[in-house]
């Protein structure tokens, strides 16, 4: 015999006892009379006693059944209350969302949005994890994440919010001091800083916007870092070149603190995605955060189009990668 209580049998017994009829109980629960009869018979066999006296015209609780009916009714009512609570909790945005985002993007573009989110959803709390290491949503118990990547097939559900380009950048002082690279191969003789957490790190892959020529180089420099913030001071001081995602790079273009270089070439970009372990029965609290962030981030306020009024050049080659903003000092 299973050690798990026969909750179905108890529920159906309680309903029959309340309705004083197998047929009425079956209608109330939306099942067949045969299903109710089998459940009650199974429960009687399990408990070792008759619960009802049945005749063709009458149904009555036995003394044994009467002693159990009150308890069964309470169990049935508690189960209905639990289900009702669960439905309300899943349909109303409330509770804690465990959420991950890339360090730089989360700091610059997600955290400033949260005050407005909390004003709209005062019953939702966010456990925000900012890291450039890729989180294991399922293994680490995350409800959702933002990812900036070229998404591959996976068991996760990913919705792209916006495309994200990448730029090779240098400060004007660096260009004056060391010269401007004209071809990706020129970077081999320059000081280039790399990002240690990037997949397939230490390789920059370029595609020419017009000819489609491809070129891969292994940059060399004095610093590798696990975050963009670790690289920026050295680059801004004019000591090195690096590549940056658009959401970081463009803020330094208007004041000429950094310049995009090799603008006839593009790097693989990818996209900004809202990722969840599954789309099935997603809690209202996660849907609220997803809808809010997708709406707020879809206009890509950091984009070169928004910051510089730039439009990407037409692509000549099928499958060519998105371009970079014009190099104003070429």
């Amino acid at each position: 015999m299973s050690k798990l209580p026969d909750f179905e049998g108890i529920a159906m017994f309680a309903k029959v006892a309340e309705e004083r009829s197998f047929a009425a109980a079956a209608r109330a629960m939306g099942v067949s009379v045969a299903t109710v009869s089998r459940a009650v018979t199974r429960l009687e066999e399990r408990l070792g006693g008759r619960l009802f006296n049945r005749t063709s015209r009458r149904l009555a609780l036995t003394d044994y059944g009467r002693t159990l009916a009150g308890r069964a009714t309470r169990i049935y009512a508690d189960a209905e209350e639990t289900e009702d609570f669960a439905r309300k909790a899943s349909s109303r945005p409330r509770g804690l969302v465990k959420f991950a985002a890339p360090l730089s993007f989360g700091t610059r573009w997600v955290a400033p949005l949260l005050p407005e989110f909390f004003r709209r959803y005062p019953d939702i709390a966010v456990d925000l994890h900012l890291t450039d290491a890729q989180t294991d949503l399922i293994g680490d118990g995350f409800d959702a994440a933002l990812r900036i990547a070229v998404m591959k097939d996976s068991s996760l559900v990913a919705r792209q919010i916006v495309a994200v380009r990448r730029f090779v950048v240098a400060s004007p002082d660096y260009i004056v001091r060391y010269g401007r690279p004209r071809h990706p191969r020129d970077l081999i003789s320059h000081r280039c800083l790399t990002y240690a957490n990037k997949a397939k790190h230490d390789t920059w892959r370029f595609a020419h916007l017009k000819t489609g020529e491809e070129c891969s180089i292994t940059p060399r420099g004095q610093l590798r870092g696990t975050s963009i913030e670790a690289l920026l001071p050295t680059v801004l001081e004019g000591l090195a070149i690096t590549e940056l995602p658009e959401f970081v790079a463009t803020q330094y273009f208007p004041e000429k603190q950094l310049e995009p270089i090799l603008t006839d070439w593009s790097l693989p970009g990818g996209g900004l995605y809202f990722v969840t372990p599954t789309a099935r029965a997603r809690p209202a609290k996660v849907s609220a955060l997803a809808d809010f962030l997708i709406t707020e981030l879809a206009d890509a306020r950091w984009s070169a189009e928004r910051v510089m009024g730039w439009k990407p050049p037409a692509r000549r080659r099928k499958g060519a990668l998105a371009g970079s903003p014009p190099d104003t000092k070429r």
Side-chain angles (χ1 to χ4, degrees):
M1 179 186 297
S2 171
K3 293 183 179 180
L4 181 68
D6 186 356
F7 290 109
E8 181 186 60
I10 292 171
M12 291 189 175
F13 161 60
K15 201 65 178 175
V16 173
E18 177 186 342
E19 299 287 343
R20 294 294 192 269
S21 165
F22 277 77
R27 284 194 299 272
M29 292 185 288
V31 298
S32 69
V33 175
T35 298
V36 177
S37 180
R38 284 195 299 269
V40 172
T41 298
R42 184 180 68 242
L43 184 63
E44 288 177 328
E45 292 173 353
R46 181 185 179 100
L47 299 179
R50 290 183 62 81
L51 299 170
F52 295 100
N53 287 318
R54 306 175 180 86
T55 68
S56 58
R57 295 183 179 181
R58 188 164 179 253
L59 178 72
L61 284 164
T62 64
D63 289 341
Y64 178 61
R66 196 174 293 110
T67 63
L68 299 180
R71 292 174 179 267
T73 299
R74 286 195 297 273
I75 292 171
Y76 187 82
D78 286 344
E80 285 188 316
E81 183 179 347
T82 299
E83 281 198 354
D84 184 58
F85 174 81
R87 288 192 194 96
K88 289 179 179 178
S90 65
S91 62
R92 183 173 61 188
R94 63 180 300 172
L96 176 67
V97 179
K98 189 175 179 182
F99 183 64
L103 175 60
S104 298
F105 187 84
T107 301
R108 295 165 190 264
W109 297 103
V110 176
L113 297 175
L114 292 180
E116 176 60 26
F117 177 77
F118 294 137
R119 278 191 286 268
R120 295 188 195 180
Y121 301 100
D123 294 329
I124 298 179
V126 177
D127 188 353
L128 180 61
H129 293 246
L130 297 180
T131 174
D132 287 332
Q134 183 164 298
T135 52
D136 179 357
L137 263 66
I138 297 174
D140 294 333
F142 282 93
D143 297 298
L146 285 176
R147 286 188 178 169
I148 298 172
V150 178
M151 292 296 294
K152 299 179 180 179
D153 292 338
S154 73
S155 60
L156 303 176
V157 177
R159 177 175 174 183
Q160 182 170 346
I161 301 174
V162 69
V164 177
R165 292 181 289 259
R166 302 191 72 86
F167 304 109
V168 179
V169 299
S171 74
D173 287 344
Y174 182 93
I175 293 171
V176 169
R177 191 177 306 161
Y178 301 107
R180 182 187 299 275
R182 300 293 181 180
H183 191 281
R185 286 190 296 269
D186 297 342
L187 293 173
I188 296 172
S189 61
H190 282 263
R191 304 174 183 182
C192 299
L193 307 188
T194 54
Y195 183 44
N197 278 348
K198 183 182 176 183
K200 299 180 181 179
H201 58 75
D202 293 339
T203 300
W204 292 355
R205 293 176 171 82
F206 293 85
H208 197 276
L209 293 172
K210 294 183 178 180
T211 67
E213 177 190 353
E214 296 181 351
C215 180
S216 297
I217 66 105
T218 300
R220 300 182 185 279
Q222 294 172 289
L223 177 65
R224 293 180 68 232
T226 57
S227 72
I228 293 168
E229 281 70 23
L231 308 181
L232 273 170
T234 301
V235 177
L236 289 168
E237 286 293 323
L239 299 176
I241 292 171
T242 196
E243 55 103 3
L244 296 175
E246 186 175 20
F247 62 83
V248 174
T250 53
Q251 67 183 299
Y252 297 103
F253 292 166
E255 301 299 323
K256 302 296 188 296
Q257 294 167 280
L258 295 175
E259 297 181 25
I261 59 177
L262 295 172
T263 53
D264 291 335
W265 299 79
S266 64
L267 289 163
L272 172 65
Y273 293 84
F274 191 94
V275 182
T276 54
T278 177
R280 184 179 60 189
R282 189 165 68 183
K285 61 186 180 180
V286 178
S287 294
L289 182 62
D291 293 343
F292 176 81
L293 290 179
I294 289 169
T295 299
E296 293 295 322
L297 298 174
D299 65 354
R301 299 185 185 101
W302 58 83
S303 69
E305 291 89 339
R306 295 289 297 273
V307 174
M308 304 171 66
W310 166 78
K311 294 183 179 180
R315 291 178 289 183
R316 297 286 188 86
R317 179 173 174 260
K318 185 178 179 181
L321 299 167
S324 303
D327 189 339
T328 56
K329 292 196 175 184
R330 286 193 64 174

